[in-house]
Amino acid sequence: MSFLDVRTVFFICTSFLFIYSIGAVAFARKVSSSFDGIYLFAIASFLTAIGIILVFLRGYIDIFWSVIAGNGLIMLSGNVTYHAHLKFIGYKKNPVLRSAILLIGAVSLFFIFTYIIPDTRIRVTVLNEFNCLQFLLIATTIYRFQKQTRQTIYTPLMIISGVFTLFFAVWIVCILMGDPFPPYKLQGGWMHSMMIIVLMLYVATLDFCVVLIATEQLIQKITEKSHQDILTTLYNRRGLDHALQNNNILNRPLAVIMGDIDNFKLINDQYGHLVGDIIIKKFAEIIKTSTRNTDICVRWGGEEFLIMLPLLNTQEAFVVAEKIRRACEQQMFPEQQGLHFTSSFGVCSRDNDSFDELVGYADQALYQAKAQGRNRVCVFNSAV
């Protein structure tokens, strides 16, 4: 292992970590509003680089700085990395006290086995045990979080932490079974070189996975935004097409409600378009609270909304529409005296009809409701 020159390895790894830190900060500035924890990943890398530099200066500076401070910063970076993972995955609990106690305990052991009982092998063992425990905490936390939330997007981070947990566990055994180390020297310290190389590999794979996951989530968010109506956050027409393709609801029993706000133009003319937007948002809010998570609610256009109710029949859909209608009728707007609004609905259900035919039938029933005086629910009747 003589080809692993310690100081050359430290120099290469430190350069890499500084470059990574700068890149992570630049990336975090772009996506900080969407993701937490990326700044912490950058800070952890920076701390690791500083710690490696201090260790690199062994023999040129006091052993407190090269041994205690240097390795302490490397362990602190592992601690920060743990909390960066928690923030990045959206884990609400943040065990800062537990992490602080663990870090203080490890640094105290370094102090003891530097000044009181000088033993390099034990110090290296403590450092590796600390890293092993940090990786184990990350892997188990992500596992529990994904089990609770039923998400799998963070699995690569869990796998990476699990692999490095196993590596450091094996590494600890190798260290304990190997020959004793010189008390303070780096000469021939291939163990030091391998440890730093492994940390660099971890940072590289972590960086790749974090960027990959963040990019995937950003694409997903952009896609979701493109499927939403800006004002109401309900589906727009594009979102409806996406929902129809992915939910397979057209192959099952289906009821459809078409509804709109009565005399909406008069509301706009009397109170202004800003108040009109308030009415539309309130109408959408009532629709969302009156329907199931499995229902598809769409802003069809202007003040007109489409609701698709899988596995419901006409009578059940009528009950839903009537619930929405009554809720609209009872709404009060204290800031706009005298303002209220009503709504009308057309209902139909499938009878070997296509989606376009269903929408057409619901629209005809809505026109019937308008013709009969508004503020009512009408069921499509093919005989009419």
Side-chain angles (χ1 to χ4, degrees):
M1 287 290 185
S2 58
F3 62 90
L4 287 175
D5 179 73
V6 176
R7 299 189 187 280
T8 301
V9 170
F10 278 23
F11 175 77
I12 293 172
C13 293
T14 303
S15 301
F16 166 80
L17 290 170
F18 274 123
I19 293 171
Y20 166 76
S21 299
I22 295 170
V25 168
F27 182 70
R29 290 186 64 183
K30 294 291 185 181
V31 300
S32 59
S33 60
S34 301
F35 302 98
D36 292 325
I38 296 182
Y39 276 117
L40 286 181
F41 284 122
I43 291 171
S45 243
F46 183 77
L47 290 172
T48 302
I50 297 298
I52 290 174
I53 289 174
L54 291 175
V55 174
F56 168 80
L57 293 174
R58 184 89 51 86
Y60 299 97
I61 59 177
D62 186 78
I63 60 171
F64 171 82
W65 295 105
S66 64
V67 176
I68 308 295
N71 288 285
L73 285 175
I74 292 173
M75 288 188 288
L76 177 60
S77 74
N79 214 316
V80 173
T81 301
Y82 171 56
H83 292 285
H85 278 84
L86 298 187
K87 281 186 168 293
F88 185 70
I89 68 176
Y91 194 74
K92 300 303 181 184
K93 297 179 182 178
N94 197 358
V96 176
L97 181 60
R98 184 178 67 185
S99 297
I101 293 172
L102 181 63
L103 180 62
I104 292 170
V107 172
S108 299
L109 289 175
F110 256 77
F111 186 88
I112 292 170
F113 290 103
T114 298
Y115 290 106
I116 301 174
I117 311 173
D119 193 320
T120 302
R121 179 161 62 178
I122 293 182
R123 290 202 307 270
V124 174
T125 302
V126 169
L127 179 60
N128 281 278
E129 286 177 343
F130 184 86
N131 288 328
C132 182
L133 184 56
Q134 290 295 319
F135 286 128
L136 180 62
L137 286 172
I138 292 170
T140 54
T141 301
I142 294 176
Y143 173 77
R144 290 197 302 267
F145 178 77
Q146 292 198 147
K147 190 175 181 180
Q148 292 171 359
T149 60
R150 297 183 179 179
Q151 297 182 21
T152 58
I153 192 170
Y154 302 112
T155 299
L157 296 179
M158 181 182 69
I159 292 174
I160 290 171
S161 297
V163 168
F164 281 93
T165 299
L166 182 61
F167 174 86
F168 277 104
V170 173
W171 198 246
I172 291 166
V173 175
C174 293
I175 292 170
L176 294 176
M177 294 177 64
D179 297 329
F181 298 163
Y184 302 116
K185 296 182 180 180
L186 288 175
Q187 284 86 344
W190 63 272
M191 285 280 191
H192 295 83
S193 298
M194 288 301 297
M195 183 184 66
I196 299 303
I197 290 173
V198 167
L199 288 176
M200 187 179 72
L201 289 174
Y202 171 71
V203 171
T205 52
L206 175 65
D207 173 43
F208 175 78
C209 286
V210 166
V211 172
L212 185 65
I213 292 171
T215 302
E216 183 179 343
Q217 289 186 318
L218 282 173
I219 292 172
Q220 183 178 349
K221 288 181 180 181
I222 291 170
T223 302
E224 289 175 355
K225 289 294 183 182
S226 71
H227 292 165
Q228 284 183 346
D229 173 64
I230 296 176
L231 183 62
T232 64
T233 71
L234 298 181
Y235 279 125
N236 54 24
R237 294 284 189 101
R238 182 181 296 167
L240 172 62
D241 292 340
H242 176 78
L244 293 178
Q245 292 173 6
N246 290 275
N247 291 338
N248 197 32
I249 65 172
L250 295 181
N251 296 322
R252 296 177 290 172
L254 177 67
V256 171
I257 300 172
M258 183 72 79
D260 78 355
I261 300 168
D262 294 331
N263 299 312
F264 185 70
K265 186 178 183 302
L266 295 178
I267 295 174
N268 273 337
D269 291 343
Q270 183 175 353
Y271 295 97
H273 287 84
L274 291 178
V275 173
D277 287 347
I278 292 174
I279 296 295
I280 288 177
K281 287 194 286 187
K282 177 56 68 174
F283 189 37
E285 181 184 320
I286 293 171
I287 289 174
K288 282 191 284 189
T289 56
S290 302
T291 51
R292 306 166 297 176
N293 292 333
T294 53
D295 298 332
I296 298 175
C297 306
V298 185
R299 187 179 180 188
W300 192 247
E303 71 275 18
E304 200 167 42
F305 291 78
L306 175 71
I307 308 170
M308 303 181 67
L309 306 108
L311 305 178
L312 294 192
N313 57 34
T314 302
Q315 186 57 41
E316 291 167 328
F318 180 91
V319 172
V320 174
E322 183 63 21
K323 178 181 178 181
I324 298 171
R325 186 198 67 78
R326 287 198 302 270
C328 294
E329 192 177 39
Q330 295 168 4
Q331 286 300 310
M332 303 295 292
F333 299 89
E335 295 181 1
Q336 289 84 27
Q337 292 186 0
L339 174 63
H340 72 283
F341 76 99
T342 60
S343 52
S344 300
F345 300 88
V347 177
C348 70
S349 60
R350 158 167 284 144
D351 185 16
N352 297 321
D353 304 299
S354 68
F355 170 72
D356 290 338
E357 289 173 330
L358 275 175
V359 172
Y361 297 153
D363 207 29
Q364 290 181 40
L366 173 61
Y367 281 121
Q368 292 175 20
K370 296 287 188 181
Q372 293 177 18
R374 298 183 175 86
N375 192 24
R376 65 190 64 232
V377 180
C378 285
V379 175
F380 173 74
N381 185 350
S382 58
V384 177

PDB file of all heavy atoms in Angstrom, residues 351-371:
ATOM      1  N   ASP A 351     -73.584   4.690 -19.026  1.00  0.00           N
ATOM      2  CA  ASP A 351     -74.384   3.567 -19.525  1.00  0.00           C
ATOM      3  C   ASP A 351     -73.799   3.191 -20.881  1.00  0.00           C
ATOM      4  O   ASP A 351     -74.405   3.423 -21.939  1.00  0.00           O
ATOM      5  CB  ASP A 351     -75.862   3.969 -19.647  1.00  0.00           C
ATOM      6  CG  ASP A 351     -76.736   2.787 -20.043  1.00  0.00           C
ATOM      7  OD1 ASP A 351     -76.257   1.633 -19.914  1.00  0.00           O
ATOM      8  OD2 ASP A 351     -77.864   3.017 -20.508  1.00  0.00           O
ATOM      9  N   ASN A 352     -72.589   2.615 -20.840  1.00  0.00           N
ATOM     10  CA  ASN A 352     -71.832   2.296 -22.050  1.00  0.00           C
ATOM     11  C   ASN A 352     -71.548   3.534 -22.899  1.00  0.00           C
ATOM     12  O   ASN A 352     -71.488   3.462 -24.134  1.00  0.00           O
ATOM     13  CB  ASN A 352     -72.577   1.251 -22.888  1.00  0.00           C
ATOM     14  CG  ASN A 352     -72.731  -0.075 -22.155  1.00  0.00           C
ATOM     15  OD1 ASN A 352     -71.812  -0.507 -21.464  1.00  0.00           O
ATOM     16  ND2 ASN A 352     -73.906  -0.692 -22.289  1.00  0.00           N
ATOM     17  N   ASP A 353     -71.394   4.673 -22.233  1.00  0.00           N
ATOM     18  CA  ASP A 353     -71.122   5.917 -22.949  1.00  0.00           C
ATOM     19  C   ASP A 353     -69.633   6.251 -22.879  1.00  0.00           C
ATOM     20  O   ASP A 353     -68.933   5.886 -21.924  1.00  0.00           O
ATOM     21  CB  ASP A 353     -71.920   7.071 -22.330  1.00  0.00           C
ATOM     22  CG  ASP A 353     -73.409   6.783 -22.305  1.00  0.00           C
ATOM     23  OD1 ASP A 353     -73.975   6.596 -23.390  1.00  0.00           O
ATOM     24  OD2 ASP A 353     -73.979   6.745 -21.194  1.00  0.00           O
ATOM     25  N   SER A 354     -69.158   6.990 -23.868  1.00  0.00           N
ATOM     26  CA  SER A 354     -67.777   7.447 -23.853  1.00  0.00           C
ATOM     27  C   SER A 354     -67.645   8.642 -22.912  1.00  0.00           C
ATOM     28  O   SER A 354     -68.642   9.226 -22.468  1.00  0.00           O
ATOM     29  CB  SER A 354     -67.327   7.842 -25.253  1.00  0.00           C
ATOM     30  OG  SER A 354     -68.028   9.013 -25.671  1.00  0.00           O
ATOM     31  N   PHE A 355     -66.410   9.016 -22.631  1.00  0.00           N
ATOM     32  CA  PHE A 355     -66.173  10.158 -21.744  1.00  0.00           C
ATOM     33  C   PHE A 355     -66.767  11.438 -22.332  1.00  0.00           C
ATOM     34  O   PHE A 355     -67.422  12.212 -21.628  1.00  0.00           O
ATOM     35  CB  PHE A 355     -64.669  10.329 -21.508  1.00  0.00           C
ATOM     36  CG  PHE A 355     -64.314  11.605 -20.801  1.00  0.00           C
ATOM     37  CD1 PHE A 355     -64.596  11.772 -19.454  1.00  0.00           C
ATOM     38  CD2 PHE A 355     -63.722  12.658 -21.493  1.00  0.00           C
ATOM     39  CE1 PHE A 355     -64.286  12.950 -18.794  1.00  0.00           C
ATOM     40  CE2 PHE A 355     -63.408  13.837 -20.837  1.00  0.00           C
ATOM     41  CZ  PHE A 355     -63.685  13.984 -19.489  1.00  0.00           C
ATOM     42  N   ASP A 356     -66.552  11.665 -23.620  1.00  0.00           N
ATOM     43  CA  ASP A 356     -67.081  12.873 -24.255  1.00  0.00           C
ATOM     44  C   ASP A 356     -68.599  12.907 -24.213  1.00  0.00           C
ATOM     45  O   ASP A 356     -69.199  13.978 -24.003  1.00  0.00           O
ATOM     46  CB  ASP A 356     -66.595  12.957 -25.710  1.00  0.00           C
ATOM     47  CG  ASP A 356     -65.109  13.244 -25.809  1.00  0.00           C
ATOM     48  OD1 ASP A 356     -64.543  13.774 -24.834  1.00  0.00           O
ATOM     49  OD2 ASP A 356     -64.500  12.938 -26.855  1.00  0.00           O
ATOM     50  N   GLU A 357     -69.211  11.745 -24.375  1.00  0.00           N
ATOM     51  CA  GLU A 357     -70.672  11.697 -24.300  1.00  0.00           C
ATOM     52  C   GLU A 357     -71.153  12.001 -22.881  1.00  0.00           C
ATOM     53  O   GLU A 357     -72.149  12.731 -22.697  1.00  0.00           O
ATOM     54  CB  GLU A 357     -71.164  10.310 -24.738  1.00  0.00           C
ATOM     55  CG  GLU A 357     -71.017  10.058 -26.233  1.00  0.00           C
ATOM     56  CD  GLU A 357     -71.352   8.628 -26.616  1.00  0.00           C
ATOM     57  OE1 GLU A 357     -71.139   7.713 -25.783  1.00  0.00           O
ATOM     58  OE2 GLU A 357     -71.819   8.425 -27.759  1.00  0.00           O
ATOM     59  N   LEU A 358     -70.456  11.474 -21.888  1.00  0.00           N
ATOM     60  CA  LEU A 358     -70.829  11.749 -20.497  1.00  0.00           C
ATOM     61  C   LEU A 358     -70.776  13.234 -20.193  1.00  0.00           C
ATOM     62  O   LEU A 358     -71.686  13.804 -19.580  1.00  0.00           O
ATOM     63  CB  LEU A 358     -69.882  11.005 -19.544  1.00  0.00           C
ATOM     64  CG  LEU A 358     -70.204   9.547 -19.208  1.00  0.00           C
ATOM     65  CD1 LEU A 358     -69.091   8.963 -18.364  1.00  0.00           C
ATOM     66  CD2 LEU A 358     -71.535   9.441 -18.486  1.00  0.00           C
ATOM     67  N   VAL A 359     -69.689  13.878 -20.619  1.00  0.00           N
ATOM     68  CA  VAL A 359     -69.543  15.311 -20.381  1.00  0.00           C
ATOM     69  C   VAL A 359     -70.657  16.071 -21.093  1.00  0.00           C
ATOM     70  O   VAL A 359     -71.243  17.024 -20.547  1.00  0.00           O
ATOM     71  CB  VAL A 359     -68.153  15.798 -20.853  1.00  0.00           C
ATOM     72  CG1 VAL A 359     -68.072  17.325 -20.777  1.00  0.00           C
ATOM     73  CG2 VAL A 359     -67.057  15.171 -20.009  1.00  0.00           C
ATOM     74  N   GLY A 360     -70.963  15.639 -22.307  1.00  0.00           N
ATOM     75  CA  GLY A 360     -72.044  16.283 -23.056  1.00  0.00           C
ATOM     76  C   GLY A 360     -73.387  16.145 -22.364  1.00  0.00           C
ATOM     77  O   GLY A 360     -74.167  17.111 -22.288  1.00  0.00           O
ATOM     78  N   TYR A 361     -73.690  14.961 -21.823  1.00  0.00           N
ATOM     79  CA  TYR A 361     -74.952  14.748 -21.120  1.00  0.00           C
ATOM     80  C   TYR A 361     -75.024  15.606 -19.849  1.00  0.00           C
ATOM     81  O   TYR A 361     -76.076  16.197 -19.545  1.00  0.00           O
ATOM     82  CB  TYR A 361     -75.104  13.267 -20.739  1.00  0.00           C
ATOM     83  CG  TYR A 361     -75.176  12.331 -21.914  1.00  0.00           C
ATOM     84  CD1 TYR A 361     -74.771  11.001 -21.798  1.00  0.00           C
ATOM     85  CD2 TYR A 361     -75.648  12.774 -23.155  1.00  0.00           C
ATOM     86  CE1 TYR A 361     -74.839  10.134 -22.868  1.00  0.00           C
ATOM     87  CE2 TYR A 361     -75.719  11.906 -24.238  1.00  0.00           C
ATOM     88  CZ  TYR A 361     -75.300  10.594 -24.090  1.00  0.00           C
ATOM     89  OH  TYR A 361     -75.367   9.741 -25.157  1.00  0.00           O
ATOM     90  N   ALA A 362     -73.909  15.663 -19.089  1.00  0.00           N
ATOM     91  CA  ALA A 362     -73.882  16.480 -17.876  1.00  0.00           C
ATOM     92  C   ALA A 362     -74.076  17.943 -18.229  1.00  0.00           C
ATOM     93  O   ALA A 362     -74.754  18.693 -17.495  1.00  0.00           O
ATOM     94  CB  ALA A 362     -72.556  16.279 -17.135  1.00  0.00           C
ATOM     95  N   ASP A 363     -73.508  18.379 -19.344  1.00  0.00           N
ATOM     96  CA  ASP A 363     -73.654  19.767 -19.781  1.00  0.00           C
ATOM     97  C   ASP A 363     -75.109  20.061 -20.150  1.00  0.00           C
ATOM     98  O   ASP A 363     -75.643  21.139 -19.826  1.00  0.00           O
ATOM     99  CB  ASP A 363     -72.739  20.009 -20.978  1.00  0.00           C
ATOM    100  CG  ASP A 363     -72.324  21.466 -21.097  1.00  0.00           C
ATOM    101  OD1 ASP A 363     -72.250  22.136 -20.052  1.00  0.00           O
ATOM    102  OD2 ASP A 363     -72.074  21.925 -22.226  1.00  0.00           O
ATOM    103  N   GLN A 364     -75.770  19.112 -20.809  1.00  0.00           N
ATOM    104  CA  GLN A 364     -77.188  19.298 -21.142  1.00  0.00           C
ATOM    105  C   GLN A 364     -78.034  19.408 -19.876  1.00  0.00           C
ATOM    106  O   GLN A 364     -78.951  20.241 -19.791  1.00  0.00           O
ATOM    107  CB  GLN A 364     -77.682  18.124 -21.995  1.00  0.00           C
ATOM    108  CG  GLN A 364     -77.120  18.088 -23.408  1.00  0.00           C
ATOM    109  CD  GLN A 364     -77.661  16.932 -24.216  1.00  0.00           C
ATOM    110  OE1 GLN A 364     -78.860  16.600 -24.130  1.00  0.00           O
ATOM    111  NE2 GLN A 364     -76.800  16.290 -24.999  1.00  0.00           N
ATOM    112  N   ALA A 365     -77.727  18.569 -18.869  1.00  0.00           N
ATOM    113  CA  ALA A 365     -78.468  18.625 -17.606  1.00  0.00           C
ATOM    114  C   ALA A 365     -78.229  19.961 -16.906  1.00  0.00           C
ATOM    115  O   ALA A 365     -79.152  20.524 -16.278  1.00  0.00           O
ATOM    116  CB  ALA A 365     -78.043  17.462 -16.703  1.00  0.00           C
ATOM    117  N   LEU A 366     -77.000  20.496 -17.026  1.00  0.00           N
ATOM    118  CA  LEU A 366     -76.707  21.804 -16.436  1.00  0.00           C
ATOM    119  C   LEU A 366     -77.547  22.889 -17.112  1.00  0.00           C
ATOM    120  O   LEU A 366     -78.090  23.778 -16.427  1.00  0.00           O
ATOM    121  CB  LEU A 366     -75.220  22.113 -16.584  1.00  0.00           C
ATOM    122  CG  LEU A 366     -74.775  23.520 -16.175  1.00  0.00           C
ATOM    123  CD1 LEU A 366     -75.076  23.771 -14.697  1.00  0.00           C
ATOM    124  CD2 LEU A 366     -73.281  23.710 -16.442  1.00  0.00           C
ATOM    125  N   TYR A 367     -77.674  22.833 -18.427  1.00  0.00           N
ATOM    126  CA  TYR A 367     -78.516  23.806 -19.125  1.00  0.00           C
ATOM    127  C   TYR A 367     -79.969  23.702 -18.680  1.00  0.00           C
ATOM    128  O   TYR A 367     -80.681  24.720 -18.579  1.00  0.00           O
ATOM    129  CB  TYR A 367     -78.414  23.603 -20.638  1.00  0.00           C
ATOM    130  CG  TYR A 367     -77.167  24.201 -21.242  1.00  0.00           C
ATOM    131  CD1 TYR A 367     -76.259  23.413 -21.928  1.00  0.00           C
ATOM    132  CD2 TYR A 367     -76.901  25.571 -21.129  1.00  0.00           C
ATOM    133  CE1 TYR A 367     -75.104  23.953 -22.477  1.00  0.00           C
ATOM    134  CE2 TYR A 367     -75.754  26.123 -21.678  1.00  0.00           C
ATOM    135  CZ  TYR A 367     -74.854  25.311 -22.355  1.00  0.00           C
ATOM    136  OH  TYR A 367     -73.718  25.857 -22.893  1.00  0.00           O
ATOM    137  N   GLN A 368     -80.428  22.484 -18.408  1.00  0.00           N
ATOM    138  CA  GLN A 368     -81.789  22.300 -17.895  1.00  0.00           C
ATOM    139  C   GLN A 368     -81.944  22.998 -16.536  1.00  0.00           C
ATOM    140  O   GLN A 368     -82.964  23.651 -16.271  1.00  0.00           O
ATOM    141  CB  GLN A 368     -82.103  20.813 -17.743  1.00  0.00           C
ATOM    142  CG  GLN A 368     -82.201  20.046 -19.066  1.00  0.00           C
ATOM    143  CD  GLN A 368     -82.398  18.558 -18.848  1.00  0.00           C
ATOM    144  OE1 GLN A 368     -82.824  18.132 -17.776  1.00  0.00           O
ATOM    145  NE2 GLN A 368     -82.077  17.757 -19.856  1.00  0.00           N
ATOM    146  N   ALA A 369     -80.927  22.864 -15.683  1.00  0.00           N
ATOM    147  CA  ALA A 369     -80.967  23.514 -14.364  1.00  0.00           C
ATOM    148  C   ALA A 369     -81.019  25.026 -14.513  1.00  0.00           C
ATOM    149  O   ALA A 369     -81.744  25.713 -13.779  1.00  0.00           O
ATOM    150  CB  ALA A 369     -79.739  23.098 -13.542  1.00  0.00           C
ATOM    151  N   LYS A 370     -80.283  25.560 -15.483  1.00  0.00           N
ATOM    152  CA  LYS A 370     -80.302  27.004 -15.719  1.00  0.00           C
ATOM    153  C   LYS A 370     -81.672  27.435 -16.225  1.00  0.00           C
ATOM    154  O   LYS A 370     -82.227  28.464 -15.790  1.00  0.00           O
ATOM    155  CB  LYS A 370     -79.231  27.371 -16.754  1.00  0.00           C
ATOM    156  CG  LYS A 370     -77.798  27.108 -16.332  1.00  0.00           C
ATOM    157  CD  LYS A 370     -77.332  28.107 -15.294  1.00  0.00           C
ATOM    158  CE  LYS A 370     -75.842  27.943 -15.034  1.00  0.00           C
ATOM    159  NZ  LYS A 370     -75.370  28.894 -13.998  1.00  0.00           N
ATOM    160  N   ALA A 371     -82.235  26.636 -17.126  1.00  0.00           N
ATOM    161  CA  ALA A 371     -83.529  26.990 -17.725  1.00  0.00           C
ATOM    162  C   ALA A 371     -84.653  26.929 -16.703  1.00  0.00           C
ATOM    163  O   ALA A 371     -85.661  27.652 -16.835  1.00  0.00           O
ATOM    164  CB  ALA A 371     -83.831  26.052 -18.892  1.00  0.00           C
TER     165      ALA A 371
END
